[in-house]
Amino acid sequence: MVPNRLACAGALLSLFASFATCLPASAQKTASLRTLASQRKLRFGTAAGIGLLRSDADAGVYRNTTATEFDMIEPENEFKPPAIWLGPDTYDWSNADWLIGAPGQTGWAQANHLAVRGHVLVYARDDGYTLPDWLRKRESTITPAQARQYLHDYIHAVVSRYRGKVFAWDVVNEAIDDNPNSNPYRLRNSFWYRKLGPDFIKLAFQYAHEADPRAQLYLNEYGAEGMGSKSDAVFDILKWLKHQGVYVTGAGMQYHLSIDDPITAGDAHYQNVSRLHAAGFTFMVTELDVHVPVTDPGIGFHASNVADLDRQAAIYREVLQLALNSPNCRGFQVWGYVDTHSWIPAVSPGRGAATLMDDHYQPKRAYYALQQALGAPVTASNGFALH
Ligand code: XIL
């Protein structure tokens, strides 16, 4: 009985196998975004929750999908100063070590062949998730010289610990104010600005470069993607750093968008990356998501209008196209890839469904739009190899 059953099963299997090989290409399982992007030499990443990875969230689907679809990862919150910097000379390395290993060791990222972007060394605002509590509480007693020493010690501690394992750092994040002000470069009034003036930016880049001379170093910002006074400020800061001989790789462009933000060849987005290129700077798309109105405010899984998901897909494709079209683009990264773990519903109630996959990890139109664009034949205008 048993051999007969096996023979029967074997015959069925080979029947399926021959059937599968006869399927038209379009009906066969297509490659992951990671595979397609690597064929284009595009670094293709996502922000991810280290806690979610560590806890095998969603029965392991989160972990597997992160490793299958991406070749670059950026901890969404766990590398921010409040998560690591518990006091002067006191650090919590647990999550970062899990991801990339304590000195001399490796972690989950290396085991899964993911490059790591570090985010962020100085988050230039005073919220709970950006500035360590202990610094805020002691502000009135901290002198500029002490602040400078703290900045030095923290950046050296983090960047040296992971030297050679974090290939790029957001050195300074969100330093520019949303509204015009009288500070140089329209800098935000933050703890670091109050203590050190614009030099906090220069010092942060210098310390990061000293600690890992081979790491790419970015000035990361939101709302500075096209042409305008905020992107002018980014451009001016980059030039100021370069002029002083301070190493900086380029601009991190967050790209948190809505469906009302289309991008077309030659527009302000293209002009902005061209002027960076002309001045010798590269850029990365660092935090792309595209939110839509939803029927479940605060939860944010269900788009109010199905047609919005087509517009969303078009915008994802347009940003990818900008990356592929730009010789100075060093990578493309989304801010989470599954709607259940996106930050948008919590910060913008009424908005959500901003990522590539729905609340069941099913690819949305945006996913297929990226798949199609990455798999499209390379032409003279979309063929710049990204590095
Ligand atoms: C956000 C995270 O996604 C949230 O989980 C957290 O509560 C707040 O910070 N720009 C950045 C990111 O550079 O660090 C922010 O991340 C989103 C906006």
Side-chain angles (χ1 to χ4, degrees), residues 33-280:
L33 298 180
R34 172 183 180 144
T35 304
L36 293 169
S38 80
Q39 286 163 4
R40 299 294 293 270
K41 298 194 167 33
L42 171 66
R43 269 193 201 281
F44 188 78
T46 185
I50 308 307
L52 295 173
L53 292 170
R54 290 185 79 169
S55 65
D56 258 342
D58 305 330
V61 178
Y62 186 79
R63 221 188 237 204
N64 291 342
T65 312
T66 304
T68 308
E69 297 289 350
F70 302 96
D71 66 11
M72 168 167 66
I73 187 172
E74 175 165 315
E76 184 167 345
N77 290 305
E78 293 84 352
F79 273 30
K80 290 175 182 165
I84 293 185
W85 201 7
L86 306 185
D89 298 325
T90 314
Y91 308 103
D92 179 355
W93 303 120
S94 54
N95 281 313
D97 279 0
W98 181 87
L99 186 70
I100 47 183
Q105 295 174 13
T106 56
W108 185 84
Q110 292 93 344
N112 291 281
H113 309 289
L114 283 115
V116 177
R117 266 196 113 247
H119 174 84
V120 50
L121 297 174
V122 179
Y123 206 143
R125 50 197 301 164
D126 295 346
D127 310 273
Y129 66 98
T130 59
L131 182 73
D133 242 12
W134 66 270
L135 272 178
R136 190 194 352 263
K137 284 184 183 142
R138 294 183 204 176
E139 172 158 6
S140 60
T141 63
I142 295 175
T143 64
Q146 260 174 331
R148 190 180 166 126
Q149 189 66 46
Y150 284 148
L151 189 69
H152 171 275
D153 293 353
Y154 179 67
I155 292 179
H156 269 268
V158 180
V159 177
S160 318
R161 186 176 181 88
Y162 302 117
R163 185 186 301 128
K165 296 174 172 180
V166 173
F167 82 100
W169 280 102
D170 286 332
V171 178
V172 174
N173 195 28
E174 302 185 358
I176 300 159
D177 217 333
D178 289 330
N179 301 307
N181 65 23
S182 55
N183 296 340
Y185 307 111
R186 199 170 119 178
L187 291 176
R188 192 190 296 278
N189 178 10
S190 68
F191 172 89
W192 294 109
Y193 179 77
R194 288 190 293 279
K195 293 296 173 196
L196 299 169
D199 275 2
F200 84 86
I201 299 180
K202 185 175 97 180
L203 293 169
F205 275 89
Q206 276 172 342
Y207 298 150
H209 189 57
E210 283 163 16
D212 188 350
R214 299 177 69 173
Q216 297 177 22
L217 304 180
Y218 290 89
L219 180 69
N220 200 47
E221 194 52 77
Y222 67 91
E225 290 88 5
M227 296 293 271
S229 52
K230 213 166 175 188
S231 63
D232 289 349
V234 169
F235 191 45
D236 290 343
I237 294 172
L238 294 178
K239 286 188 295 186
W240 171 63
L241 291 172
K242 196 172 181 181
H243 185 69
Q244 294 178 100
V246 176
Y247 176 71
V248 52
T249 309
M253 299 192 185
Q254 294 192 7
Y255 270 105
H256 293 291
L257 300 178
S258 82
I259 47 171
D260 299 321
D261 302 319
I263 295 168
T264 51
D267 73 3
H269 296 258
Y270 279 78
Q271 290 162 29
N272 192 27
V273 304
S274 304
R275 73 171 161 173
L276 288 170
H277 186 41

Side-chain angles (χ1 to χ4, degrees), residues 33 36 40 316-318 320-321 324 367-378 382:
L33 298 180
L36 293 169
R40 299 294 293 270
Y316 267 95
R317 191 181 50 239
E318 286 158 12
L320 175 65
Q321 214 56 66
L324 291 171
Y367 178 98
Y368 292 118
L370 295 190
Q371 191 179 57
Q372 200 182 27
L374 287 169
V378 178
N382 72 3

